[in-house]
Amino acid sequence: QVQLVQSGAEVKKPGASVKVSCRASGYSFADYNTHWVRQAPGQGLEWMGMTNPGGDRSTYAGKFQGRVTMTRDTSTATYYMELSYLRSEDTAFYYCARDLTFDPSPILDYWGQGTLVTVSS
Amino acid sequence: NFVLTQPHSVSESPGKTVTISCTRSSGNMASSAVQWYQQRPGAVPTNIIYEDKERPSGVPDRFSGSINSSSNSASLTISGLRTEDEGYYFCQSDGSDHPVIFGGGTKLTVL
């Protein structure tokens, strides 16, 4: 079955970087876009960006441009999201999600379990 | 980019029907597909409606989606409410700059 398994919770100091992983299984890893979405405690969903199936093109939300990098490792079927220059407002659950379609409007049909990143001095 | 506005909360009794709206601030709602996600307390979001009105396998037909061009909005209707339907519901569409735009979310209480 399709699974996206993310890395464990992280605690970081302001100004540091965090790298969250998302290992895919149960489907052809290279056939789908993968998105990253975050959710601050008690807040809504916020789209961060996506990586294409080839892993050679990522699109980022303007808010995160210059601070986020999304990559993938084909050999391990793992996607990565690295966020730098962390501040307290970045404390949130970070989710990876598979995009079912290549249509203009993504359909996020499978989600990882989420990774809590806490930024605190 | 446009904004998708949802009511902060709705509540209704078990067995009743509730409708959650998602209004697009500019542009034509009907020009892009709308998805809906359910997030139960402490859980991961799951897709319950895609392409305006389609249900993924396993989603009961108590859940339905529609587009209202006159109000430039999408709606999620849940009939035969159950306590397990409690949680947050998010609409999602796509914009020219951002492939994914989420509504702010609506908290559903079944009391």
Side-chain angles (χ1 to χ4, degrees):
Chain A
Q1 73 279 24
V2 174
Q3 280 193 307
L4 295 169
V5 179
Q6 299 184 219
S7 48
E10 303 261 13
V11 178
K12 296 292 183 180
K13 293 192 181 302
S17 297
V18 68
K19 192 170 186 177
V20 178
S21 69
C22 168
R23 180 168 52 83
S25 63
Y27 67 100
S28 180
F29 171 77
D31 287 349
Y32 296 84
N33 291 325
T34 297
H35 297 251
W36 290 87
V37 176
R38 78 176 186 179
Q39 185 174 36
Q43 301 300 310
L45 303 175
E46 181 174 32
W47 182 75
M48 299 182 69
M50 60 176 282
T51 300
N52 70 336
D56 58 342
R57 182 164 48 89
S58 292
T59 303
Y60 304 132
K63 174 178 180 178
F64 300 102
Q65 285 279 1
R67 269 210 312 147
V68 71
T69 304
M70 295 175 185
T71 57
R72 75 166 202 177
D73 182 342
T74 304
S75 65
T76 60
T78 301
Y79 282 95
Y80 297 93
M81 186 283 300
E82 184 170 19
L83 188 62
S84 57
Y85 305 108
L86 290 169
R87 33 201 188 241
S88 59
E89 309 90 89
D90 294 319
T91 294
F93 280 93
Y94 289 77
Y95 297 100
C96 60
R98 188 183 82 162
D99 185 353
L100 175 63
T101 178
F102 289 103
D103 288 347
S105 190
I107 301 170
L108 307 181
D109 65 338
Y110 283 93
W111 296 59
Q113 83 276 22
T115 297
L116 177 60
V117 175
T118 302
V119 182
S120 174
S121 55
Chain B
N1 271 319
F2 56 87
V3 174
L4 296 175
T5 299
Q6 300 181 234
H8 289 294
S9 63
V10 295
S11 61
E12 189 49 271
S13 303
K16 298 292 189 180
T17 296
V18 71
T19 296
I20 298 171
S21 63
C22 171
T23 303
R24 178 166 167 161
S25 61
S26 61
N28 186 356
M29 178 65 97
S31 65
S32 302
V34 175
Q35 280 65 247
W36 290 90
Y37 300 87
Q38 176 193 61
Q39 187 176 31
R40 292 188 171 117
V44 176
T46 61
N47 176 238
I48 56 171
I49 296 288
Y50 66 95
E51 294 177 352
D52 302 340
K53 57 180 175 56
E54 304 300 323
R55 283 187 307 277
S57 62
V59 174
D61 59 7
R62 299 187 297 110
F63 294 85
S64 63
S66 63
I67 300 293
N68 186 329
S69 296
S70 62
S71 59
N72 208 34
S73 66
S75 294
L76 171 70
T77 299
I78 310 171
S79 60
L81 277 170
R82 302 179 179 183
T83 55
E84 68 212 46
D85 296 332
E86 281 199 340
Y88 281 86
Y89 291 82
F90 298 91
C91 60
Q92 172 244 311
S93 189
D94 66 283
S96 56
D97 296 336
H98 283 188
V100 175
I101 297 174
F102 289 106
T106 299
K107 181 179 181 180
L108 170 62
T109 302
V110 182
L111 29 71

